[in-house]
Amino acid sequence: MKIRLHDLNFVPLISEEEVRRRISELGNELFVRLGDKNPLFIVVLNGAFMFAADLVRAYNAPCEMAFVRLSSYSGTTSSGTVTTSAGLNTDIAGRHIVIVEDIVDTGRTLHVFLDTLAGCQPASVTLTAFLRKPEAQIFPIQVDLTGFDIENKFVVGYGLDYDQLGRNLPGVWVLESQSE
Ligand code: IMP
């Protein structure tokens, strides 16, 4: 079955059932690591909203949540990259942090954010990504827990969008290749 979003066709990649099973495993793995430590889940908006909602429900102990919006773009500074974060009002010094991200592609966005966080002296940082594209990663960040590793192809669903469409799909769909 295909779906059409704007001008592009997408085909199923990961079913709702597979997603549900994997999130339950991730919740358990996080509980084993952080169970009684009252971790602070920092959710990277917009794409991680659905993953975060399911992940914290699979996390069977007290925890807190905060939300950030990160944007990165090529600018005119010497580094060529500017990243801003907004919305992180909670004091994170000494806290056990779980970063919740939708997908790690090149890793650029999180690379800069992780540097910023390290300066705030958290007790620990656990980076959790729903999806990862290992072939696309350029920046050296370590993803501690990954939902699924996927090929370097454009995907939508479960929070991820194509020009704002597709976020509400309960599973993951991939751009149809020209041969299909
Ligand atoms: P990075 O900084 O290159 O790792 O890019 C991360 C961000 O790019 C993600 O948080 C997504 O918002 C977006 N992104 C990367 N790949 C995809 C994709 O396949 N579908 C939708 N959004 C994507």
Side-chain angles (χ1 to χ4, degrees):
M1 187 179 57
K2 289 180 197 179
I3 53 163
R4 192 164 181 84
L5 300 174
H6 297 299
D7 54 333
L8 297 177
N9 290 326
F10 292 83
V11 294
L13 180 67
I14 305 171
S15 72
E16 183 177 2
E17 184 51 39
E18 286 174 276
V19 169
R20 206 188 343 258
R21 223 177 301 131
R22 185 69 186 123
I23 303 298
S24 165
E25 289 172 359
L26 290 179
N28 289 335
E29 286 182 44
L30 279 172
F31 178 74
V32 169
R33 289 175 183 226
L34 298 166
D36 60 350
K37 294 180 173 158
N38 183 21
L40 174 66
F41 285 73
I42 299 180
V43 182
V44 182
L45 296 174
N46 292 328
F49 79 95
M50 199 177 284
F51 176 41
D54 287 341
L55 188 64
V56 293
R57 279 182 287 184
Y59 184 78
N60 222 344
C63 63
E64 296 176 32
M65 297 183 78
F67 301 87
V68 292
R69 189 180 297 273
L70 308 177
S71 54
S72 65
Y73 54 93
S74 296
T76 54
T77 60
S78 56
S79 73
T81 304
V82 179
T83 300
T84 56
S85 66
L88 190 57
N89 301 319
T90 318
D91 187 6
I92 61 174
R95 300 294 307 268
H96 292 274
I97 305 297
V98 179
I99 299 178
V100 185
E101 173 65 305
D102 57 354
I103 185 166
V104 173
D105 186 10
T106 65
R108 181 174 61 178
T109 313
L110 283 181
H111 182 62
V112 181
F113 185 55
L114 284 167
D115 266 3
T116 311
L117 269 190
C120 302
Q121 301 183 334
S124 69
V125 176
T126 305
L127 176 52
T128 308
F130 174 56
L131 299 175
R132 202 168 60 119
K133 295 180 183 172
E135 293 160 31
Q137 196 176 327
I138 297 170
F139 292 83
I141 56 168
Q142 186 199 322
V143 183
D144 299 295
L145 291 175
T146 306
F148 302 90
D149 278 337
I150 61 169
E151 281 182 63
N152 191 9
K153 291 183 176 172
F154 191 78
V155 293
V156 294
Y158 201 67
L160 291 144
D161 72 303
Y162 167 47
D163 204 5
Q164 300 309 323
L165 291 182
R167 291 193 200 276
N168 61 323
L169 294 165
V172 179
W173 297 61
V174 63
L175 185 60
E176 183 183 47
S177 61
Q178 296 306 330
S179 56
E180 286 175 278

